[in-house]
Amino acid sequence: MLAASAGKCLGGLLLVCLYLSLSGGSSADPAMTTQDASSQSQANSLTNMKNELNESFLGPNLATKEYRQTSSQSITSVQYELLLPGASGTSVETTISLEKVVEVELTCILDKEYSYLKSFQVSWKRGNETISHTNKTDNSWSIKVSVSDSSKLGSYNCTLKGEKELSGIFHLQVPKIKGKEKPTISYLRDTAVMTCECPGYTAISWTWYMTNGSKQIVINESLLADRYVISKKSASITQLKILKLTKEDGGEYWCEATFELGKSEGRLELKVLSFMAPLKPFIAIVIEVVILVALIVCYEIYSTKVKRTEAEKEFDQIEHLKSEDGGLESSEARQRRI
């Protein structure tokens, strides 16, 4: 035990001596000799080597890495303008579709034709929230909005109050999905294809749903690969193909596009008909024709019978009259003979 303690003490003394030799004495020394500078250089080299070894084993500083990524990102800036008319009480509106994080500058401009109007009190609002405008000229007023998430979307209203009251409204929203307005019609055991698109915009992902009563059921092609095929024609177009249609496949379908700023849905309708369905109008016409022909034939038969009966009655009357005339002639002949 004593030997071990002595060894530890000796080792500690050697480390202290080595440190003093590298540092060149106490930190309170006012100056450094050439040897001291050389020792300091060696110590710096050892420190750098230590840092490099730590980085190679432990990886780079994560906080520094995150900071570099953030600083390298650039936010797109876009500008939109509304030209306000001079008619009092009128409002001009425009819809702006945004798919990703962006800084938007909204500007209301008074038409030059009405530049004589002065002393306007200008206010910007989003709902009941008042926003101070960041730029102002004689006939234009602007605000800047950093649209970082869906909470920044909505309607932004600029109002000019003075001799006349004018207003303009900017509606900020995620892109709308363009679907088929009329129902898609297909037949039993056939294939139906439905398409959704958002022209000019890039969706992060697409999801398809089917409405079953009041619930929306996600269509998972991996589980039902023999029934559903979802194809992504491009980032702005998606297709749902349904194979071997059944009557239960008819109904409402929804396609959902996901953007950085939120989600947007499009509605489609599918009608599944039997193969007899197209023949129903033709069959109805045939039935109507058959009924009409039958009525005509029945009428003709009835008319023929009536005519035949009338002819027979007429013939009987003629024969009866002839018989009566013959009886009169024979009685007259008899009277002459007497």
Side-chain angles (χ1 to χ4, degrees):
M1 292 292 291
L2 292 175
S5 300
K8 290 182 180 180
C9 293
L10 181 59
L13 290 173
L14 289 174
L15 288 174
V16 171
C17 293
L18 178 60
Y19 173 78
L20 291 175
S21 64
L22 289 175
S23 60
S26 174
S27 58
D29 290 344
M32 295 178 63
T33 62
T34 304
Q35 185 176 358
D36 293 336
S38 176
S39 299
Q40 183 67 36
S41 176
Q42 290 179 2
N44 292 337
S45 298
L46 290 173
T47 303
N48 291 335
M49 290 177 63
K50 181 180 179 182
N51 291 335
E52 290 176 2
L53 288 172
N54 288 337
E55 186 172 7
S56 64
F57 284 100
L58 301 177
N61 189 318
L62 296 179
T64 304
K65 187 177 181 181
E66 274 187 23
Y67 174 76
R68 289 174 181 172
Q69 287 179 349
T70 304
S71 62
S72 64
Q73 288 180 349
S74 59
I75 298 177
T76 306
S77 297
V78 292
Q79 297 179 351
Y80 296 95
E81 298 177 348
L82 265 182
L83 186 63
L84 303 182
S88 181
T90 59
S91 178
V92 186
E93 300 183 20
T94 185
T95 299
I96 302 169
S97 296
L98 303 173
E99 60 178 323
K100 58 185 178 181
V101 176
V102 67
E103 186 175 64
V104 182
E105 183 175 358
L106 307 177
T107 304
C108 284
I109 302 175
L110 183 65
D111 195 327
K112 291 182 179 179
E113 183 180 352
Y114 304 96
S115 58
Y116 65 88
L117 297 173
K118 301 294 182 181
S119 303
F120 274 116
Q121 181 181 357
V122 181
S123 64
W124 280 89
K125 286 188 176 183
R126 179 179 179 270
N128 296 324
E129 177 188 358
T130 301
I131 305 171
S132 58
H133 45 269
T134 56
N135 190 18
K136 175 184 176 182
T137 65
D138 291 338
N139 64 336
S140 69
W141 300 264
S142 304
I143 62 169
K144 286 186 178 181
V145 182
S146 180
V147 186
S148 56
D149 53 48
S150 58
S151 65
K152 299 297 183 180
L153 299 175
S155 297
Y156 291 80
N157 189 327
C158 66
T159 303
L160 280 65
K161 292 183 179 180
E163 298 177 27
K164 297 182 178 181
E165 182 173 333
L166 315 174
S167 64
I169 304 175
F170 297 84
H171 300 286
L172 306 187
Q173 63 180 24
V174 292
K176 293 295 184 182
I177 304 302
K178 182 181 178 182
K180 190 176 180 181
E181 294 182 1
K182 295 182 178 180
T184 300
I185 299 175
S186 194
Y187 300 96
L188 290 172
R189 297 183 295 278
D190 203 352
T191 299
V193 179
M194 291 178 286
T195 303
C196 283
E197 59 180 321
C198 51
Y201 299 97
T202 302
I204 298 173
S205 64
W206 288 92
T207 307
W208 282 89
Y209 300 89
M210 179 183 181
T211 302
N212 185 3
S214 60
K215 296 181 179 180
Q216 283 188 338
I217 302 174
V218 179
I219 297 175
N220 194 334
E221 61 175 337
S222 62
L223 298 178
L224 298 169
D226 59 332
R227 292 292 319 284
Y228 301 102
V229 178
I230 299 175
S231 57
K232 188 177 180 181
K233 297 297 181 181
S234 67
S236 61
I237 301 175
T238 180
Q239 278 188 347
L240 172 64
K241 184 183 291 185
I242 307 175
L243 311 174
K244 304 173 186 178
L245 286 171
T246 64
K247 198 69 177 176
E248 289 73 23
D249 290 323
E252 289 185 345
Y253 287 81
W254 299 83
C255 56
E256 182 183 80
T258 302
F259 301 96
E260 283 187 18
L261 295 177
K263 297 179 179 181
S264 183
E265 288 185 335
R267 176 187 173 277
L268 300 98
E269 185 178 356
L270 175 63
K271 289 186 177 181
V272 181
L273 307 177
S274 65
F275 287 103
M276 291 297 294
L279 299 176
K280 286 181 180 179
F282 176 74
I283 293 173
I285 293 173
V286 170
I287 291 173
E288 290 178 359
V289 171
V290 169
I291 292 173
L292 182 61
V293 170
L295 290 174
I296 293 173
V297 170
C298 291
Y299 177 76
E300 290 294 331
I301 293 173
Y302 175 76
S303 300
T304 303
K305 286 183 177 181
V306 170
K307 289 179 180 179
R308 188 176 298 172
T309 303
E310 291 178 352
E312 289 177 354
K313 286 182 179 180
E314 186 177 356
F315 179 77
D316 291 340
Q317 289 177 355
I318 293 172
E319 290 295 326
H320 181 68
L321 291 173
K322 284 182 179 181
S323 62
E324 288 181 352
D325 292 340
L328 291 173
E329 289 178 355
S330 59
S331 62
E332 288 179 356
R334 286 174 187 171
Q335 289 177 357
R336 288 174 184 173
R337 289 175 185 174
I338 295 173

